[in-house]
Amino acid sequence: GENVEQHPSTLSVQEGDSAVIKCTYSDSASNYFPWYKQELGKRPQLIIDIRSNVGEKKDQRIAVTLNKTAKHFSLHITETQPEDSAVYFCAASSYISSGSARQLTFGSGTQLTVLP
Amino acid sequence: NAGVTQTPKFQVLKTGQSMTLQCAQDMNHNSMYWYRQDPGMGLRLIYYSASEGTTDKGEVPNGYNVSRLNKREFSLRLESAAPSQTSVYFCASLTDFSTDTQYFGPGTRLTVL
């Protein structure tokens, strides 16, 4: 099955600086890579995603890059603000072994702290 | 349009007790999922239902059972709760394979003493 590794597990940055979180995946059949943000006590919320036919996608201060050959993808947050502080999860989507449904395999999460 | 809803929000059980976590979605999604979230381990898939009438095991199914009651509802049952099942449980739904976007419920925080 798919295996997703995420680094770093914790990241502290000064307000206004950039933050980068990296993930690697193992299943070359995975073709959809979402990023979720989870604030304390809340549900994971999708913030950006990318498909395997695209190398980069940007949405205001957030961007995601994908290198299919190396099987890694990254989240970039520029001009960080205190409200960006949260846990961020990457995920990779592939078919469950029976082929009947898609499955998201999650990384273990990155606690991002933006220091004022 | 409430999205994905879960009940209860919090629950405390004693070892050996049973309970059912409820999940419902009003987005007409076909696939539904149950995850558990433990500190430092991300979200792990317990069971999923690709469509109404079908269910299957995920990564960590032991100690759980599920029922896809209809297209809207997908419940998770703990027959004999154990302290190792202390976790936050999230239900999610997915519209179709072309988008792959999963929408999560608000979660149930379960403590087993």
Side-chain angles (χ1 to χ4, degrees), chain B residues 51-87:
Chain B
S51 61
E52 184 179 355
T54 69
T55 62
D56 213 336
K57 296 177 182 178
E59 179 186 354
V60 289
N62 292 345
Y64 306 95
N65 282 301
V66 291
S67 295
R68 183 75 181 266
L69 305 169
N70 47 55
K71 192 169 185 179
R72 289 187 64 249
E73 297 171 291
F74 188 38
S75 62
L76 178 72
R77 182 159 178 85
L78 288 71
E79 290 291 351
S80 179
S84 60
Q85 294 178 305
T86 294
S87 189

Side-chain angles (χ1 to χ4, degrees), chain A residues 32 36 38 42-44 46 49 51 89 93 95-96 98 100-104 106-108, chain B residues 4 33 35 37 40 42-43 45 48 50 56 90 94 97-102 104-106:
Chain A
Y32 172 72
Y36 286 84
Q38 187 178 30
K42 300 288 181 65
R43 75 189 81 188
L46 178 72
D49 55 17
R51 295 202 170 274
F89 292 97
S93 178
Y95 277 100
I96 295 173
S98 64
S100 62
R102 299 285 290 186
Q103 171 182 336
L104 281 181
F106 287 85
S108 54
Chain B
V4 182
Y33 305 78
Y35 295 91
Q37 184 176 35
L43 292 104
L45 183 64
Y48 68 96
D56 213 336
F90 287 99
L94 171 69
F97 296 170
S98 65
T99 66
D100 282 319
T101 301
Q102 288 195 15
F104 285 86

Side-chain angles (χ1 to χ4, degrees), chain B:
Chain B
N1 189 337
V4 182
T5 58
Q6 289 181 238
T7 55
K9 286 189 168 60
F10 302 94
Q11 184 71 48
V12 179
L13 293 177
K14 294 181 180 177
T15 297
Q17 287 185 316
S18 62
M19 79 160 296
T20 300
L21 282 64
Q22 306 286 354
C23 173
Q25 52 90 9
D26 61 3
M27 297 177 283
N28 202 35
H29 289 173
N30 291 320
S31 299
M32 297 184 74
Y33 305 78
W34 275 105
Y35 295 91
R36 61 177 289 172
Q37 184 176 35
D38 302 296
M41 299 190 73
L43 292 104
R44 293 183 292 168
L45 183 64
I46 306 170
Y47 268 93
Y48 68 96
S49 170
S51 61
E52 184 179 355
T54 69
T55 62
D56 213 336
K57 296 177 182 178
E59 179 186 354
V60 289
N62 292 345
Y64 306 95
N65 282 301
V66 291
S67 295
R68 183 75 181 266
L69 305 169
N70 47 55
K71 192 169 185 179
R72 289 187 64 249
E73 297 171 291
F74 188 38
S75 62
L76 178 72
R77 182 159 178 85
L78 288 71
E79 290 291 351
S80 179
S84 60
Q85 294 178 305
T86 294
S87 189
V88 180
Y89 292 86
F90 287 99
C91 176
S93 68
L94 171 69
T95 179
D96 58 47
F97 296 170
S98 65
T99 66
D100 282 319
T101 301
Q102 288 195 15
Y103 297 87
F104 285 86
T108 295
R109 185 173 295 273
L110 175 67
T111 301
V112 183
L113 303 174

Side-chain angles (χ1 to χ4, degrees), chain A residues 20-23 35 48 63-67 72-76:
Chain A
V20 180
I21 302 169
K22 298 183 179 182
C23 289
W35 286 88
I48 195 167
V64 57
T65 59
L66 171 65
N67 183 326
H72 66 71
F73 56 113
S74 300
L75 178 71
H76 305 253

